[in-house]
Amino acid sequence: RQVVAELRKVVYPTQEQLVTYFLVVMVFVIFMMALVAALEASGCEIVTVALRRIGHRGAAGHAPENTIESFEKAHDLGCDYVETDVWLADDGRLLISHDRPKPEHKLTLEEVLDFCRGKMGVNIEVKCEMSEKAAHQTGAQVGKLLVERKDPDVYVSSFWWAALEGTRVAGPSVRRAFLFADSPDKSS
């Protein structure tokens, strides 16, 4: 019984503690309201940013990744965007696959964009192996396609700077994002 009594002291706050918590929260809320009012009065524009829910390779973990089924599941789960991986095949098609496409990979970037249009935005990650030239070519093909399609909620990302440069050359208006695996040391 003594253990239960001790646990209640830890788990359940006293009325005095609840009043203190409430007052602290109210002071914080009033302070934030006053701060926002002061910033608006001084001419500062208050910008709010909505949280974006981005499905990685669609809804990997819920459906086979980088498939229409996975993108559909991401939409059903409320994703605002999906991320997908694209490779330039030898025959010129832009194929969807995380790793180098195998013969069974048939889904194209156009099919993904057609499915997602009006439902979700798309982050197209340009993939390549061991070749700046191939990365540039892939980025250029993606940029050309996006300029032709004029999809509003699409951007290109890559770990390959050459891929983003290819996208920029082919489609200067196409949004791009550089991916990196490690952040620089800020101590120096």
Side-chain angles (χ1 to χ4, degrees):
R1 289 184 179 186
Q2 186 173 359
V3 172
V4 172
E6 290 298 317
L7 282 175
R8 282 192 177 144
K9 288 181 189 175
V10 175
V11 176
Y12 300 108
T14 65
Q15 186 173 3
E16 184 178 293
Q17 288 171 322
L18 288 173
V19 170
T20 302
Y21 297 152
F22 176 77
L23 290 175
V24 167
V25 169
M26 290 307 297
V27 167
F28 177 75
V29 168
I30 292 168
F31 170 77
M32 292 305 294
M33 290 172 65
L35 178 62
V36 168
L39 288 171
E40 287 176 339
S42 69
C44 289
E45 182 179 341
I46 305 298
V47 178
T48 58
V49 178
L51 179 68
R52 289 186 185 153
R53 295 163 299 211
I54 303 174
H56 189 237
R57 301 180 202 153
H62 295 275
E65 65 184 40
N66 279 325
T67 62
I68 292 297
E69 181 185 357
S70 186
F71 301 124
E72 188 170 27
K73 184 64 176 178
H75 182 258
D76 292 345
L77 291 170
C79 288
D80 305 301
Y81 275 77
V82 288
E83 178 271 346
T84 192
D85 307 294
V86 67
W87 294 76
L88 180 59
D90 293 338
D91 63 6
R93 292 179 303 144
L94 291 166
L95 294 178
I96 303 300
S97 179
H98 176 68
D99 299 314
R100 178 173 284 287
K102 296 180 175 144
E104 65 266 19
H105 290 112
K106 306 278 189 227
L107 184 62
T108 66
L109 178 58
E110 287 188 81
E111 291 170 310
V112 171
L113 294 172
D114 287 344
F115 175 80
C116 293
R117 189 172 211 162
K119 298 176 190 167
M120 301 175 289
V122 182
N123 167 12
I124 303 165
E125 183 181 338
V126 174
K127 306 288 269 197
C128 187
E129 287 180 341
M130 313 284 271
S131 171
E132 294 283 327
K133 182 179 178 185
H136 191 277
Q137 289 172 334
T138 306
Q141 284 293 105
V142 170
K144 181 181 173 198
L145 175 66
L146 295 180
V147 166
E148 291 169 3
R149 290 180 56 94
K150 297 180 173 89
D151 289 304
D153 294 319
V154 177
Y155 64 98
V156 176
S157 65
S158 186
F159 287 97
W160 289 87
W161 188 261
L164 299 175
E165 179 62 15
T167 301
R168 186 192 64 76
V169 169
S173 63
V174 175
R175 295 182 299 155
R176 299 169 307 279
F178 182 62
L179 303 175
F180 54 94
D182 193 12
S183 60
D185 182 10
K186 295 184 180 189
S187 64
S188 56

